[in-house]
Amino acid sequence: MTATANHVQIAPSVLAADFGRLAQQVRDADAAGADLIHVDVMDGRFVPNISFGEVVVDAIRSATDLPLNLHLMVHEPDRLLPGLMKSAADQVLVHAEACAHLHRTVGYVKEQGSQVGVAINPATPIAAVEEVLPDLDIVLVMTVNPGFGGQSFIPSALAKLRRLHRIIQEKGYHAKLEVDGGVKADATARDSVAAGAEILVAGTAIFNREQSVAEAMAALRASVDGLAPGKT
Ligand code: DX5
Ligand code: ZN
């Protein structure tokens, strides 16, 4: 699917996929019109959970030609970046809270020719990314506390999204806003887009027992149909 200025991108998060058939689930998401595949790397330190590392990222990379939206929930990601970026170098997102020298880390990712994003937790203010905002391709506003799928969307993140959207517009920056956590085919998706989100991550809303991946993707797409990011 071609990205246009007003196109909302959907990034299924494979964290919720059936790992016994991971490649097939990725192919299902691709066939159902996913724009990106969201890949959650967790280290058991920055977040309480461990997910997977390079070997699994490689398997996801082999299963699709879609860009990978790599979300690193790891403390001090610098030491892991060279290895992970060999597997997935389309879009690399690090957490502001996890980087002692965020400016350097952002610069490193850009130097490798990848798109770079910075993620902020629900309790982290916009100020944590403001100084690097001109350099960013993506700001990921976490709408849950990271570490687990299937949590509830935190509504106070919407005000933060709106403020960031305004700053980006006023300054003429190019960063896209992304939301991650508790996004479903309901007000959580619609309100996020209205607040400025252009990329919606969805884990359990896409990979679940109630619907096929195609049905779930269609429902999420329909829930934001006709909406333009940042326009109410
Ligand atoms: C949570 C991860 C998310 C997760 C979202 O820490 O970063 O990407 O997969 O899952 P849902 O959409 O189920 O909240
Ligand atoms: Zn994520």
Side-chain angles (χ1 to χ4, degrees):
M1 186 154 305
T2 5
T4 61
N6 287 333
H7 177 70
V8 176
Q9 295 192 302
I10 297 182
S13 168
V14 293
L15 189 66
D18 174 353
F19 274 66
R21 341 182 260 121
L22 180 59
Q24 186 56 49
Q25 295 251 280
V26 172
R27 287 193 290 268
D28 289 348
D30 187 334
D35 298 282
L36 310 163
I37 299 293
H38 184 81
V39 177
D40 288 305
V41 176
M42 302 181 182
D43 67 350
R45 181 169 176 208
F46 178 66
V47 291
N49 208 1
I50 294 177
S51 59
F52 49 75
E54 265 178 60
V55 174
V56 173
V57 178
D58 274 339
I60 297 167
R61 177 67 293 165
S62 306
T64 180
D65 291 329
L66 288 175
L68 301 188
N69 182 249
L70 184 68
H71 180 194
L72 300 181
M73 285 163 278
V74 304
H75 181 69
E76 289 296 346
D78 306 67
R79 75 209 147 83
L80 292 176
L81 279 172
L84 282 165
M85 288 176 69
K86 273 194 216 127
S87 312
D90 304 295
Q91 301 180 332
V92 178
L93 302 114
V94 298
H95 267 266
E97 307 86 355
C99 297
H101 305 286
L102 182 62
H103 182 271
R104 181 187 293 151
T105 305
V106 164
Y108 174 80
V109 173
K110 281 173 68 109
E111 276 162 25
Q112 312 310 304
S114 300
Q115 289 194 17
V116 64
V118 173
I120 50 175
N121 285 337
T124 301
I126 288 171
V129 290
E130 233 164 341
E131 301 301 329
V132 292
L133 200 47
D135 297 329
L136 300 185
D137 299 297
I138 298 171
V139 181
L140 172 50
V141 174
M142 291 305 300
T143 42
V144 297
N145 288 296
F148 305 93
Q151 303 182 80
S152 297
F153 186 92
I154 297 173
S156 61
L158 290 170
K160 186 156 62 175
L161 268 176
R162 279 192 290 270
R163 291 202 305 276
L164 259 168
H165 179 68
R166 198 166 55 232
I167 294 169
I168 290 168
Q169 294 293 303
E170 281 173 7
K171 305 266 192 192
Y173 297 153
H174 69 284
K176 284 187 160 82
L177 292 176
E178 174 172 349
V179 285
D180 183 9
V183 176
K184 304 206 174 315
D186 59 16
T188 55
R190 282 194 300 277
D191 293 350
S192 296
V193 173
E198 289 180 70
I199 304 171
L200 303 178
V201 176
T204 48
I206 299 296
F207 300 106
N208 59 60
R209 287 170 190 278
E210 285 76 46
Q211 298 160 296
S212 69
V213 169
E215 286 165 351
M217 275 293 298
L220 185 54
R221 182 76 71 198
S223 74
V224 294
D225 194 30
L227 293 183
K231 309 258 183 328
T232 40

mmCIF file of all heavy atoms in Angstrom, residues 96-125:
data_model
loop_
_atom_site.group_PDB
_atom_site.id
_atom_site.type_symbol
_atom_site.label_atom_id
_atom_site.label_comp_id
_atom_site.label_asym_id
_atom_site.label_seq_id
_atom_site.Cartn_x
_atom_site.Cartn_y
_atom_site.Cartn_z
ATOM 1 N N ALA A 96 13.803 6.839 25.003
ATOM 2 C CA ALA A 96 14.523 7.974 25.590
ATOM 3 C C ALA A 96 15.024 7.617 26.994
ATOM 4 O O ALA A 96 16.145 7.977 27.374
ATOM 5 C CB ALA A 96 13.602 9.197 25.659
ATOM 6 N N GLU A 97 14.195 6.862 27.747
ATOM 7 C CA GLU A 97 14.537 6.552 29.142
ATOM 8 C C GLU A 97 15.703 5.562 29.243
ATOM 9 O O GLU A 97 16.283 5.384 30.316
ATOM 10 C CB GLU A 97 13.323 5.937 29.860
ATOM 11 C CG GLU A 97 12.035 6.738 29.782
ATOM 12 C CD GLU A 97 11.220 6.427 28.515
ATOM 13 O OE1 GLU A 97 11.692 5.670 27.643
ATOM 14 O OE2 GLU A 97 10.097 6.968 28.411
ATOM 15 N N ALA A 98 16.002 4.878 28.135
ATOM 16 C CA ALA A 98 16.999 3.797 28.169
ATOM 17 C C ALA A 98 18.369 4.235 27.673
ATOM 18 O O ALA A 98 19.312 3.454 27.717
ATOM 19 C CB ALA A 98 16.502 2.624 27.314
ATOM 20 N N CYS A 99 18.464 5.481 27.180
ATOM 21 C CA CYS A 99 19.708 5.935 26.558
ATOM 22 C C CYS A 99 20.354 7.047 27.377
ATOM 23 O O CYS A 99 19.745 8.102 27.581
ATOM 24 C CB CYS A 99 19.421 6.475 25.153
ATOM 25 S SG CYS A 99 18.760 5.250 24.028
ATOM 26 N N ALA A 100 21.592 6.828 27.807
ATOM 27 C CA ALA A 100 22.312 7.873 28.540
ATOM 28 C C ALA A 100 22.698 9.003 27.595
ATOM 29 O O ALA A 100 22.792 10.159 28.000
ATOM 30 C CB ALA A 100 23.546 7.281 29.199
ATOM 31 N N HIS A 101 22.956 8.673 26.338
ATOM 32 C CA HIS A 101 23.395 9.671 25.353
ATOM 33 C C HIS A 101 22.516 9.541 24.107
ATOM 34 O O HIS A 101 22.953 9.053 23.062
ATOM 35 C CB HIS A 101 24.877 9.460 25.012
ATOM 36 C CG HIS A 101 25.734 9.480 26.233
ATOM 37 N ND1 HIS A 101 26.025 10.640 26.906
ATOM 38 C CD2 HIS A 101 26.307 8.477 26.938
ATOM 39 C CE1 HIS A 101 26.770 10.355 27.972
ATOM 40 N NE2 HIS A 101 26.946 9.050 28.010
ATOM 41 N N LEU A 102 21.290 9.997 24.284
ATOM 42 C CA LEU A 102 20.273 9.792 23.240
ATOM 43 C C LEU A 102 20.693 10.417 21.912
ATOM 44 O O LEU A 102 20.492 9.815 20.849
ATOM 45 C CB LEU A 102 18.937 10.380 23.717
ATOM 46 C CG LEU A 102 17.750 10.203 22.767
ATOM 47 C CD1 LEU A 102 17.427 8.727 22.537
ATOM 48 C CD2 LEU A 102 16.504 10.917 23.332
ATOM 49 N N HIS A 103 21.296 11.594 21.974
ATOM 50 C CA HIS A 103 21.696 12.282 20.739
ATOM 51 C C HIS A 103 22.675 11.428 19.938
ATOM 52 O O HIS A 103 22.579 11.298 18.717
ATOM 53 C CB HIS A 103 22.306 13.639 21.092
ATOM 54 C CG HIS A 103 22.714 14.447 19.907
ATOM 55 N ND1 HIS A 103 23.964 14.345 19.332
ATOM 56 C CD2 HIS A 103 22.029 15.345 19.174
ATOM 57 C CE1 HIS A 103 24.032 15.168 18.297
ATOM 58 N NE2 HIS A 103 22.882 15.783 18.176
ATOM 59 N N ARG A 104 23.620 10.803 20.658
ATOM 60 C CA ARG A 104 24.614 9.958 19.980
ATOM 61 C C ARG A 104 23.950 8.715 19.378
ATOM 62 O O ARG A 104 24.260 8.312 18.253
ATOM 63 C CB ARG A 104 25.692 9.540 20.980
ATOM 64 C CG ARG A 104 26.770 8.682 20.351
ATOM 65 C CD ARG A 104 27.733 8.151 21.376
ATOM 66 N NE ARG A 104 28.511 9.208 21.975
ATOM 67 C CZ ARG A 104 29.006 9.177 23.215
ATOM 68 N NH1 ARG A 104 28.761 8.134 23.979
ATOM 69 N NH2 ARG A 104 29.723 10.171 23.670
ATOM 70 N N THR A 105 23.042 8.110 20.139
ATOM 71 C CA THR A 105 22.376 6.887 19.667
ATOM 72 C C THR A 105 21.531 7.185 18.428
ATOM 73 O O THR A 105 21.568 6.434 17.437
ATOM 74 C CB THR A 105 21.503 6.286 20.795
ATOM 75 O OG1 THR A 105 22.345 6.095 21.933
ATOM 76 C CG2 THR A 105 20.870 4.976 20.388
ATOM 77 N N VAL A 106 20.802 8.297 18.460
ATOM 78 C CA VAL A 106 19.996 8.710 17.303
ATOM 79 C C VAL A 106 20.914 8.931 16.095
ATOM 80 O O VAL A 106 20.629 8.469 14.979
ATOM 81 C CB VAL A 106 19.197 10.000 17.646
ATOM 82 C CG1 VAL A 106 18.666 10.680 16.390
ATOM 83 C CG2 VAL A 106 18.046 9.666 18.599
ATOM 84 N N GLY A 107 22.036 9.587 16.322
ATOM 85 C CA GLY A 107 22.987 9.853 15.242
ATOM 86 C C GLY A 107 23.541 8.567 14.660
ATOM 87 O O GLY A 107 23.674 8.432 13.433
ATOM 88 N N TYR A 108 23.834 7.594 15.524
ATOM 89 C CA TYR A 108 24.375 6.315 15.054
ATOM 90 C C TYR A 108 23.384 5.623 14.112
ATOM 91 O O TYR A 108 23.754 5.159 13.028
ATOM 92 C CB TYR A 108 24.702 5.396 16.249
ATOM 93 C CG TYR A 108 25.118 4.021 15.805
ATOM 94 C CD1 TYR A 108 26.416 3.774 15.362
ATOM 95 C CD2 TYR A 108 24.201 2.959 15.778
ATOM 96 C CE1 TYR A 108 26.798 2.521 14.908
ATOM 97 C CE2 TYR A 108 24.574 1.711 15.328
ATOM 98 C CZ TYR A 108 25.864 1.486 14.897
ATOM 99 O OH TYR A 108 26.233 0.253 14.434
ATOM 100 N N VAL A 109 22.116 5.569 14.523
ATOM 101 C CA VAL A 109 21.098 4.892 13.694
ATOM 102 C C VAL A 109 20.974 5.595 12.345
ATOM 103 O O VAL A 109 20.935 4.950 11.289
ATOM 104 C CB VAL A 109 19.733 4.849 14.426
ATOM 105 C CG1 VAL A 109 18.644 4.297 13.506
ATOM 106 C CG2 VAL A 109 19.834 4.001 15.694
ATOM 107 N N LYS A 110 20.968 6.927 12.387
ATOM 108 C CA LYS A 110 20.862 7.688 11.121
ATOM 109 C C LYS A 110 22.067 7.451 10.207
ATOM 110 O O LYS A 110 21.915 7.312 9.000
ATOM 111 C CB LYS A 110 20.751 9.185 11.424
ATOM 112 C CG LYS A 110 19.356 9.597 11.858
ATOM 113 C CD LYS A 110 19.336 11.030 12.316
ATOM 114 C CE LYS A 110 19.586 11.998 11.190
ATOM 115 N NZ LYS A 110 18.411 12.764 10.797
ATOM 116 N N GLU A 111 23.261 7.407 10.819
ATOM 117 C CA GLU A 111 24.479 7.191 10.019
ATOM 118 C C GLU A 111 24.438 5.869 9.259
ATOM 119 O O GLU A 111 25.067 5.723 8.219
ATOM 120 C CB GLU A 111 25.721 7.153 10.930
ATOM 121 C CG GLU A 111 26.286 8.513 11.267
ATOM 122 C CD GLU A 111 27.203 8.418 12.478
ATOM 123 O OE1 GLU A 111 27.765 7.318 12.734
ATOM 124 O OE2 GLU A 111 27.324 9.435 13.174
ATOM 125 N N GLN A 112 23.717 4.882 9.832
ATOM 126 C CA GLN A 112 23.625 3.588 9.153
ATOM 127 C C GLN A 112 22.611 3.637 8.014
ATOM 128 O O GLN A 112 22.369 2.637 7.347
ATOM 129 C CB GLN A 112 23.206 2.467 10.125
ATOM 130 C CG GLN A 112 23.973 2.403 11.432
ATOM 131 C CD GLN A 112 25.472 2.423 11.208
ATOM 132 O OE1 GLN A 112 25.996 1.578 10.489
ATOM 133 N NE2 GLN A 112 26.162 3.398 11.796
ATOM 134 N N GLY A 113 21.939 4.780 7.841
ATOM 135 C CA GLY A 113 20.981 4.924 6.750
ATOM 136 C C GLY A 113 19.580 4.455 7.104
ATOM 137 O O GLY A 113 18.720 4.334 6.230
ATOM 138 N N SER A 114 19.322 4.210 8.390
ATOM 139 C CA SER A 114 17.998 3.750 8.806
ATOM 140 C C SER A 114 17.142 4.931 9.246
ATOM 141 O O SER A 114 17.673 5.974 9.635
ATOM 142 C CB SER A 114 18.122 2.804 10.006
ATOM 143 O OG SER A 114 18.895 1.692 9.643
ATOM 144 N N GLN A 115 15.844 4.727 9.215
ATOM 145 C CA GLN A 115 14.965 5.710 9.844
ATOM 146 C C GLN A 115 15.074 5.530 11.349
ATOM 147 O O GLN A 115 15.185 4.399 11.851
ATOM 148 C CB GLN A 115 13.519 5.500 9.401
ATOM 149 C CG GLN A 115 13.311 5.900 7.956
ATOM 150 C CD GLN A 115 11.834 6.009 7.608
ATOM 151 O OE1 GLN A 115 10.958 6.089 8.459
ATOM 152 N NE2 GLN A 115 11.571 5.997 6.323
ATOM 153 N N VAL A 116 15.003 6.643 12.075
ATOM 154 C CA VAL A 116 15.200 6.565 13.520
ATOM 155 C C VAL A 116 13.984 7.120 14.250
ATOM 156 O O VAL A 116 13.392 8.117 13.835
ATOM 157 C CB VAL A 116 16.499 7.307 13.942
ATOM 158 C CG1 VAL A 116 16.437 8.792 13.659
ATOM 159 C CG2 VAL A 116 16.817 7.056 15.412
ATOM 160 N N GLY A 117 13.623 6.424 15.324
ATOM 161 C CA GLY A 117 12.529 6.890 16.170
ATOM 162 C C GLY A 117 12.920 6.841 17.625
ATOM 163 O O GLY A 117 13.818 6.088 18.020
ATOM 164 N N VAL A 118 12.256 7.672 18.419
ATOM 165 C CA VAL A 118 12.445 7.610 19.869
ATOM 166 C C VAL A 118 11.081 7.379 20.513
ATOM 167 O O VAL A 118 10.088 8.016 20.136
ATOM 168 C CB VAL A 118 13.105 8.905 20.418
ATOM 169 C CG1 VAL A 118 13.134 8.889 21.944
ATOM 170 C CG2 VAL A 118 14.532 9.041 19.876
ATOM 171 N N ALA A 119 11.047 6.431 21.447
ATOM 172 C CA ALA A 119 9.826 6.089 22.167
ATOM 173 C C ALA A 119 9.856 6.732 23.552
ATOM 174 O O ALA A 119 10.928 6.843 24.162
ATOM 175 C CB ALA A 119 9.718 4.569 22.311
ATOM 176 N N ILE A 120 8.676 7.166 24.009
ATOM 177 C CA ILE A 120 8.580 7.676 25.386
ATOM 178 C C ILE A 120 7.429 6.985 26.115
ATOM 179 O O ILE A 120 6.346 6.791 25.575
ATOM 180 C CB ILE A 120 8.433 9.220 25.451
ATOM 181 C CG1 ILE A 120 7.328 9.740 24.528
ATOM 182 C CG2 ILE A 120 9.764 9.900 25.141
ATOM 183 C CD1 ILE A 120 7.080 11.265 24.677
ATOM 184 N N ASN A 121 7.714 6.631 27.364
ATOM 185 C CA ASN A 121 6.739 5.956 28.221
ATOM 186 C C ASN A 121 5.627 6.923 28.648
ATOM 187 O O ASN A 121 5.801 8.144 28.559
ATOM 188 C CB ASN A 121 7.448 5.432 29.486
ATOM 189 C CG ASN A 121 8.282 4.207 29.182
ATOM 190 O OD1 ASN A 121 8.038 3.510 28.206
ATOM 191 N ND2 ASN A 121 9.272 3.951 30.021
ATOM 192 N N PRO A 122 4.526 6.380 29.165
ATOM 193 C CA PRO A 122 3.424 7.264 29.572
ATOM 194 C C PRO A 122 3.830 8.362 30.569
ATOM 195 O O PRO A 122 3.297 9.472 30.501
ATOM 196 C CB PRO A 122 2.416 6.288 30.200
ATOM 197 C CG PRO A 122 2.647 5.015 29.447
ATOM 198 C CD PRO A 122 4.135 4.959 29.215
ATOM 199 N N ALA A 123 4.771 8.094 31.462
ATOM 200 C CA ALA A 123 5.140 9.106 32.467
ATOM 201 C C ALA A 123 6.262 10.026 32.001
ATOM 202 O O ALA A 123 6.680 10.926 32.733
ATOM 203 C CB ALA A 123 5.547 8.424 33.776
ATOM 204 N N THR A 124 6.756 9.804 30.793
ATOM 205 C CA THR A 124 7.891 10.608 30.299
ATOM 206 C C THR A 124 7.385 11.832 29.546
ATOM 207 O O THR A 124 6.575 11.701 28.625
ATOM 208 C CB THR A 124 8.776 9.744 29.370
ATOM 209 O OG1 THR A 124 9.231 8.619 30.110
ATOM 210 C CG2 THR A 124 9.964 10.530 28.849
ATOM 211 N N PRO A 125 7.846 13.018 29.928
ATOM 212 C CA PRO A 125 7.360 14.229 29.249
ATOM 213 C C PRO A 125 7.965 14.399 27.858
ATOM 214 O O PRO A 125 9.023 13.838 27.549
ATOM 215 C CB PRO A 125 7.819 15.358 30.178
ATOM 216 C CG PRO A 125 8.998 14.809 30.892
ATOM 217 C CD PRO A 125 8.788 13.319 31.005
#
